[in-house]
Structure formats: C-alpha cells, structure tokens
Amino acid sequence: MTACLTCEPALRFDLGPELIATTPPEYRRVARDQVRMLIASADGIEDRRAADLPDVLRVGDVVVVNDSQTLPASLPGRTADGQAVEVHFSTVLPASGDTPAAALSATRSRWLVELRRPAPGGSRPSPANHAGAVVTVSGGAQLQVGGPHAAGPASGAAAPLRLWEATVCTPRPLLEHLEAFGEPIRYGYVAAPWPIAAYRTALGVVPGSAEMPSAGRPLTGRLLRRLAEKGVQVERITLHCGVSSGEAGEPPYAEWLSVPERTAEAVSQARRDGRRVIAVGTTVVRALESTGNGRGGVRPAQGWTDLVVTPERGVDTVDGILTGWHEPEASHLAMLEAVAGRALLCESYRAALDRGYLWHEFGDVHLLLPGTGR
C-alpha cells in the first residue's frame, strides 16, 4: 500500500479511521513502553518499540521531558437558559496575573475555557455565542463567561467562537474541585471514558495541563531507569498544555512554562560539548526555544510563552525529538519540520501511513534524529 500524502505546500494526507488509536495501549494488552516507534534519521527509516530507546540513544545524550500532570479538566454544566454544555478548562488567562499553581489553589480565578455540546461518544464544538453567559457547573461551581479569546498571534484571523475568557468560582480550591467532579478531556475518536490515570504520564508531577503531554506516555519508570543505566541524562521542564481540539486547526496560543536552572545548564553544557539534546514532545521544544539565548544555550525561566516555532525561524536548542503522530496540516508539523527538515518529515509520515502506525495520544511514537543519524 502506498500512502496518499503530499508534501507541498503543507504536509497533507488521508488519515483513515483504522489508524486512530481509540484505546490506551495497556487496555489493548500492550505495555506503554511497547508501543511502536518509527525512527527517522540520516541512517534511514527503522521500525522499533519505545522500549528500545536506550539502545538507540548515545551515552551523553540529554533527554528533556515535560513533567506537567494532566488535570481532569472537563466539567459538565448548564447555562441559565437550560442548555447543557461541557466546560473544558484550557489555560489560566495570562492577563489575570495568576500562575497556574495560584489559580488551581484559589476559589476564584480566570481561565480560557472551551464550551462544547455534550454528545454520545464525546462532545462536539459549540457554534453558539456564549458571551455573557452564566454556567452552573457540577459541585456548586459557577462560570461567568466574558468574551471570545482571539486565536494565536500568527493566525491573522478573526477570533473563533471556541475559546472564551471566563471567571470561575468554586466552593473549594479549584484543583480539589476538578479532582472531585472533573473528567479528562475526551474527543469523539476515543472509544470509552477512560480514567484520568490513562491520561497521565509517569513523569507528570506538576498539575496544570488540560491535555496530556502524550509524547512522554511510553516513558515508564522501567524505561527511565534503563536510560540512566545507559548513561543518558534525563532532565525536566514544565509546560502546561492547553486544549488542542482537532476540529479547529488554530495556531498555538500562550502556555505556561518553567525551565529549572539545572535543566538550562544541562542543555547548555550539552550544546557546548557537542552532545545531543533530544526533546520528548513538542511542548519541550517550545519551552527550550522560548528560553534559548540564540546560540544554542538555554536560560532558566518561568512565565508565559506564545512562541510559534516554524521552519523559517528554525531551532537551535535541540537535535531531535520523540513525538506522537499529528493531524494533517497541524501546526505541530511546522515545528517538526523546523527540527527535521521537510524531506525527512515527509519520508517518515509516508512510512508511518504505509506501515499502519497509530495516531493520537494513545498511539505510537516517532523519533526524529536528523543530521548525525544514530
């Protein structure tokens, strides 16, 4: 079978339903670290398992992971006129001045939210104008909706009626309220309402992501120990992921990041030594590039980033990336092209389609190692 894929001007392909992972691998009797891993490098295309990562990487490589923990960020609600809605908490509103940690420990905070229509098998986008709506949310919480939130700075488009700025009031700290009444955000392609544990990685210790930083999902404790035994250095950043509904096709918007001093020094030293830095997920690339000094080094920092990484901008803090498989024309593909180049990216996506790799958060992974090969 030859995949129907075009590379110009953007990466376009047909994604058949048989290639969408609807169930977590552990519910398919496949261990997390046994999902398939396609390696694309100067040595060509190779099929492996995620558990093979220690055999593939080199002694001295620095692997950077995202330790953000997924929230049960979906709450059922009802508007004043009786309309049922599903509230997806995305990110703290940057203009509020709150950090995510402060907002989650408060009983009143301002957020970007998506209001969706409940539907069998997963919610659907809501085209309604919710400006000014008051939404009663389960557990005695209330949401006061303001206006629509503009798309990212690179869009140049009018604000879609998808993300809304809202004030939420809860009878207890918001994180406790979400843990008591919330569910993980789930889209229509997911087969069942899997528990929040299915949406969390072994690395996630800092609550704050609306959606799972899924590239780290195969990195089990066992696999992390084997990386350390191999002599691969594992360092952490935090970047809280907002919602990224596949229906919208919007550019990224602002997200909260923290790059610790230890990680900044490890990445900077590796770049000076000529050792490789491998990002686990597009969130890690965004965090490192946002705090880069323009010469390959990274500064410790925390705050908001609205950086959009494109092929024209390029990257200078990472040498490769472990990532999932992304939608046709998704903005994440531009970042991957910045890391790997158009030719290698197209070659790997064509191979993944031909070889039946699985897409989305419960699917397989993709290791891009351009330049030096393995």
Side-chain angles (χ1 to χ4, degrees):
M1 173 181 174
T2 299
C4 180
L5 178 145
T6 59
C7 295
E8 300 290 348
L11 196 60
R12 296 190 178 96
F13 51 89
D14 295 325
L15 185 62
E18 72 281 4
L19 297 182
I20 295 175
T22 62
T23 303
E26 55 268 33
Y27 289 84
R28 294 185 261 123
R29 299 185 179 182
V30 176
R32 287 191 178 204
D33 60 7
Q34 289 298 316
V35 297
R36 300 174 70 192
M37 177 173 69
L38 184 144
I39 304 171
S41 73
D43 296 334
I45 301 292
E46 185 177 2
D47 298 302
R48 301 288 287 263
R49 298 281 171 181
D52 296 331
L53 197 58
D55 304 323
V56 174
L57 297 185
R58 300 173 182 162
V59 174
D61 282 346
V62 176
V63 169
V64 185
V65 300
N66 184 358
D67 66 5
S68 177
Q69 185 187 72
T70 315
L71 300 170
S74 175
L75 286 171
R78 192 168 293 277
T79 61
D81 62 1
Q83 179 186 358
V85 294
E86 195 169 291
V87 181
H88 289 183
F89 287 78
S90 177
T91 54
V92 175
L93 190 63
S96 71
D98 279 343
T99 65
L104 287 168
S105 63
T107 56
R108 186 179 190 279
S109 53
R110 298 179 67 198
W111 286 75
L112 294 181
V113 300
E114 183 179 10
L115 301 177
R116 296 172 65 91
R117 292 184 295 113
S123 61
R124 298 289 183 269
S126 170
N129 186 341
H130 296 285
V134 176
V135 180
T136 300
V137 185
S138 61
Q142 190 174 75
L143 197 75
Q144 175 69 57
V145 182
H149 183 70
S155 70
L161 293 178
R162 188 173 82 92
L163 292 176
W164 298 86
E165 299 178 0
T167 300
V168 59
C169 295
T170 49
R172 66 185 82 187
L174 178 58
L175 181 58
E176 291 182 23
H177 195 83
L178 291 173
E179 293 288 353
F181 298 99
E183 300 286 340
I185 289 175
R186 177 168 72 100
Y187 295 114
Y189 59 82
V190 175
W194 307 111
I196 187 65
Y199 291 86
R200 287 177 170 166
T201 70
L203 305 157
V205 293
V206 183
S209 279
E211 296 185 10
M212 175 172 56
S214 55
R217 199 176 190 281
L219 299 187
T220 60
R222 173 178 57 186
L223 183 47
L224 292 168
R225 286 192 295 275
R226 289 182 53 223
L227 285 171
E229 291 166 1
K230 170 70 179 278
V232 173
Q233 188 175 351
V234 178
E235 300 295 343
R236 297 168 180 251
I237 59 93
T238 303
L239 187 141
H240 294 315
C241 310
V243 296
S244 57
S245 167
E247 294 101 341
E250 298 165 11
Y253 45 90
E255 294 173 311
W256 174 267
L257 65 78
S258 175
V259 177
E261 184 172 356
R262 171 181 165 138
T263 300
E265 177 54 33
V267 171
S268 300
Q269 188 62 51
R271 301 295 290 171
R272 288 193 292 270
D273 294 345
R275 291 179 286 121
R276 298 188 303 187
V277 177
I278 312 298
V280 177
T282 55
T283 57
V284 172
V285 176
R286 196 181 199 196
L288 296 182
E289 287 296 312
S290 297
T291 55
N293 62 14
R295 302 182 300 279
V298 170
R299 300 180 296 265
Q302 65 176 14
W304 297 95
T305 178
D306 58 6
L307 177 67
V308 180
V309 178
T310 64
E312 294 74 25
R313 178 192 180 278
V315 298
D316 65 9
T317 63
V318 301
D319 302 280
I321 181 171
L322 179 72
T323 184
W325 296 98
H326 300 284
E327 294 276 339
E329 300 184 77
S331 60
H332 288 108
L333 294 172
M335 178 187 288
L336 298 186
E337 183 179 342
V339 174
R342 175 69 63 93
L344 187 60
L345 186 64
C346 285
E347 183 183 3
S348 60
Y349 266 75
R350 184 172 286 108
L353 292 165
D354 284 343
R355 301 177 189 187
Y357 276 74
L358 295 178
W359 256 247
H360 293 317
E361 67 267 37
F362 299 138
D364 298 313
V365 289
H366 182 197
L367 179 62
L368 282 160
L369 295 174
T372 58
R374 289 175 42 197

